[in-house]
Amino acid sequence: GYYGQYFSYVTQSAVTNNVGKAMAFETLDLSNGITVVTDGTALTKITFANTGTYNLQFSTQFQNTDNAQHDIYIWLRKNGTTSAADVLGSTGLISIPARRSAGLGNEGHVIVGWNFLLNVVAGDFYQIIWATNTVANVTIQYYAGNPPPPVSTTNYPSTASTLFTVTQQSGIMAGTGITALN
């Protein structure tokens, strides 16, 4: 079957309050028939080389540096880079908690993820779009890992700001010459 997994190791910011921005995925992990191509500015277009049914999953790490809770909307866009291509019914709304107190390490954090089952025609592309009501305080956040003890009391690897995985669900046997399983 066809599959792909891409990451971003870059903190991403929205430009305008309540206006959608495509998530970028600049780092390839593995891929067969799934690529990410540029929208002219960043690597945002999740592109399918083969027709089939696919499961698109994503996970995104958000950070809030404000004293108030804020909303984030996430949705799909198909075969276009404007709101005219937004996929009806695909929007999810989450709230990110306020920071605990001033200072580095006290920000509000939330990691979200969900999946979409997609019927795709070869050449289709999707973008994962997000918007927040406060671009000054909410980011898709990359975190570097902590060094091992004794420098730090905890040791953990870096956190991708966002990632997606695509796996083909149907059409896996297409082109194999197998017509039936007995």
Side-chain angles (χ1 to χ4, degrees), residues 91-107:
T91 303
L93 169 62
I94 61 164
S95 292
I96 184 171
R99 69 181 184 181
R100 295 181 297 281
S101 62
L104 186 63
N106 293 314
E107 303 86 358

Side-chain angles (χ1 to χ4, degrees), residues 5-12 23-29 58-63 109-112 139-145 156-165:
Q5 182 165 280
Y6 288 77
F7 296 88
S8 178
Y9 293 111
V10 175
T11 295
Q12 300 181 37
M23 294 180 190
F25 304 95
E26 76 283 345
T27 303
L28 165 66
D29 185 29
F58 75 92
S59 175
T60 304
Q61 175 74 58
F62 290 99
Q63 177 177 282
H109 307 276
V110 66
I111 190 165
V112 298
T139 56
I140 297 176
Q141 192 67 35
Y142 164 77
Y143 297 106
Y156 55 86
S158 63
T159 301
S161 57
T162 188
L163 65 92
F164 79 84
T165 315

Side-chain angles (χ1 to χ4, degrees), residues 3-174:
Y3 53 85
Q5 182 165 280
Y6 288 77
F7 296 88
S8 178
Y9 293 111
V10 175
T11 295
Q12 300 181 37
S13 300
V15 177
T16 305
N17 288 348
N18 300 310
V19 174
K21 181 170 182 183
M23 294 180 190
F25 304 95
E26 76 283 345
T27 303
L28 165 66
D29 185 29
L30 55 121
S31 179
N32 178 26
I34 309 296
T35 56
V36 178
V37 299
T38 185
D39 61 8
T41 303
L43 294 168
T44 67
K45 295 180 176 180
I46 303 165
T47 306
F48 297 79
N50 301 282
T51 299
T53 301
Y54 293 84
N55 185 3
L56 169 62
Q57 303 173 31
F58 75 92
S59 175
T60 304
Q61 175 74 58
F62 290 99
Q63 177 177 282
N64 180 10
T65 58
D66 196 15
N67 291 329
Q69 173 176 300
H70 290 291
D71 290 337
I72 301 165
Y73 294 87
I74 303 170
W75 67 94
L76 288 181
R77 190 169 279 167
K78 179 182 179 185
N79 293 334
T81 57
T82 67
S83 61
D86 291 347
V87 176
L88 295 176
S90 68
T91 303
L93 169 62
I94 61 164
S95 292
I96 184 171
R99 69 181 184 181
R100 295 181 297 281
S101 62
L104 186 63
N106 293 314
E107 303 86 358
H109 307 276
V110 66
I111 190 165
V112 298
W114 57 82
N115 64 300
F116 299 96
L117 197 60
L118 309 172
N119 281 319
V120 172
V121 175
D124 280 351
F125 71 87
Y126 283 84
Q127 293 173 298
I128 303 171
I129 308 297
W130 73 290
T132 179
N133 61 348
T134 177
V135 299
N137 299 105
V138 174
T139 56
I140 297 176
Q141 192 67 35
Y142 164 77
Y143 297 106
N146 273 1
V151 176
S152 172
T153 57
T154 55
N155 182 21
Y156 55 86
S158 63
T159 301
S161 57
T162 188
L163 65 92
F164 79 84
T165 315
V166 171
T167 52
Q168 186 181 24
Q169 304 299 299
S170 69
I172 293 171
M173 302 301 279

